[in-house]
Amino acid sequence: MSEENCLFCKIIAGKIPGDFVHQDESCVVLRDINPQAPMHVLVIPRAHLESLDEASQKEESLLGHLLRVGARVANDQGHAEEGYRTVINTGAGAGQSVFHLHVHVLAGRGMHWPPG
Ligand code: 5GP
Ligand code: ZN
């Protein structure tokens, strides 16, 4: 999917509303529109990358940043002690439905393993 037709690029550009909980120069965090846990946010790089599979060595520090921001948001929202889950779905077969890389961060309920 091209950047022009990408839902998350449109939200980041302000063309579609989003409930942002964090923004910095390389990523944004917004609440998922269909939350699967009491806290369910998406950490999304500003740069359009279709998926984790498209990331290369030059994105290594960005990938680390996304995880650290997700951890900080979970902490800020009081979920450090009980724990939280970070998920990256890569490819339709793994459940990816928006083809702009994002890290889900979920917390506030018991989590099962293995995931479905
Ligand atoms: P994926 O299935 O690609 O791993 O995750 C995409 C996520 O984006 C889903 O959890 C879905 O609920 C969320 N989502 C889809 N459309 C929107 C939207 O317009 N706004 C927000 N905030 N989240 C969305
Ligand atoms: Zn995009």
Side-chain angles (χ1 to χ4, degrees):
M1 183 187 284
S2 68
E3 287 179 49
E4 299 80 60
N5 298 322
C6 172
L7 173 66
F8 288 168
C9 282
K10 287 180 184 166
I11 293 175
I12 289 166
K15 294 177 186 157
I16 294 175
D19 185 0
F20 292 91
V21 300
H22 169 88
Q23 300 195 51
D24 65 34
E25 64 183 22
S26 58
C27 76
V28 304
V29 181
L30 70 152
R31 291 188 201 282
D32 197 292
I33 204 167
N34 181 24
Q36 300 302 310
M39 185 193 87
H40 184 177
V41 299
L42 305 170
V43 187
I44 309 173
R46 290 185 183 276
H48 179 88
L49 283 171
E50 285 207 357
S51 73
L52 181 61
D53 205 54
E54 205 184 68
S56 63
Q57 195 174 14
K58 75 178 190 328
E59 277 90 35
E60 271 188 12
S61 68
L62 173 65
L63 294 172
H65 182 68
L66 300 178
L67 292 175
R68 281 180 29 82
V69 167
R72 201 182 316 140
V73 169
N75 272 261
D76 288 350
Q77 303 212 357
H79 295 292
E81 199 169 321
E82 86 208 36
Y84 52 91
R85 181 167 290 178
T86 49
V87 176
I88 303 175
N89 296 323
T90 304
Q96 185 173 5
S97 60
V98 177
F99 288 85
H100 178 135
L101 174 66
H102 51 283
V103 181
H104 296 258
V105 186
L106 303 108
R109 64 165 171 82
M111 300 281 168
H112 305 289
W113 193 263

